[in-house]
Amino acid sequence: MIVSDAWQERMLDLFRGDLPLISEMIRATESPIIGYPIYDISTQPVWQKGHVVLVGDAIHAVSPGAGQGASLAVEDALVLAKCLRDREDYALAFATYERLRRARVEHMVKYGRSLGQAKIMTNPIQVWFRDLLMPFFLKHFANPAALDWVYSYKVDWDTPVEGTPDPIEREIAVN
Ligand SMILES: Cc1cc2nc3c(=O)[nH]c(=O)nc-3n(C[C@H](O)[C@H](O)[C@H](O)COP(=O)(O)OP(=O)(O)OC[C@H]3O[C@@H](n4cnc5c(N)ncnc54)[C@H](O)[C@@H]3O)c2cc1C
């Protein structure tokens, strides 16, 4: 196990060439510094079997960098409840739930992974340019609407699940 002091030393070392403010914050941190391993789970081929269907982290764990794992789990629960309410049997309900959720959660897992894999600049010249240009780019190009798909998603509880089940849902439901 790596103790807190060792993490602090390691982080001070990693940020040595960066803005002095970062080192000041690391030195000023009084609570324990802990390293967490980060995993994610995506693109699972089977979401349901018989009377069992998976929701939340059990089927699509998102990297904590996205801050969306709990939100996705709650969304799953609502959509699943809606499908159970509106489909004629549980097998079709599970299949419709999977169809409605799969693309969004897999996209979110990819998004979380991309945040964790962003390249860190260590070259002092690159860092200098980044700090010079960042305020300009944030002011002119940061666009909150670009993240609407993450933060503004709503489950419309009142509108029934649409249409008759499509052939893919019927196939999932019988397998
Ligand atoms: C460091 C970190 C930071 C995070 N930050 C955020 C964030 O800012 N925002 C966000 O939305 N999400 C965040 N998440 C993710 C979020 O915590 C999870 O995505 C969310 O808790 C998943 O909910 P869940 O109900 O699917 O699973 P869990 O919350 O893991 O619930 C599963 C439950 O099942 C219980 N259990 C397990 N096995 C059994 C068994 N055999 N019998 C009975 N019970 C059992 C467990 O004890 C647990 O209580 C973060 C995760 C981590 C690790």
Side-chain angles (χ1 to χ4, degrees), residues 18-19 30-31 50-51 54 79 89 91 93 99 124 135 144 155 168 170:
D18 220 307
L19 292 175
E30 288 172 3
S31 55
H51 290 88
L54 299 176
V79 173
D89 63 42
R99 173 176 64 80
V155 176
I168 296 172
R170 290 203 180 275

Side-chain angles (χ1 to χ4, degrees), residues 1-8 33:
M1 186 180 133
I2 301 173
V3 294
S4 185
D5 289 353
W7 278 119
Q8 198 168 34
I33 298 176

Side-chain angles (χ1 to χ4, degrees), residues 63-136:
S63 151
Q68 287 299 307
S71 312
L72 286 186
V74 173
E75 290 172 20
D76 282 353
L78 280 168
V79 173
L80 178 59
K82 227 180 117 159
C83 294
L84 287 165
R85 180 192 68 189
D86 296 339
R87 287 297 190 220
E88 64 216 50
D89 63 42
Y90 73 87
L92 277 176
F94 291 176
T96 305
Y97 153 76
E98 178 179 339
R99 173 176 64 80
L100 294 175
R101 296 296 296 156
R102 190 180 264 281
R104 173 169 172 79
V105 301
E106 290 184 354
H107 193 51
M108 193 71 82
V109 173
K110 274 197 200 138
Y111 169 67
R113 196 178 299 163
S114 73
L115 294 178
Q117 288 175 342
K119 294 272 181 282
I120 309 292
M121 288 182 191
T122 51
N123 178 312
I125 296 171
Q126 285 178 323
V127 170
W128 185 81
F129 269 111
R130 179 202 62 193
D131 294 342
L132 184 73
L133 297 176
M134 188 66 86
F136 172 80

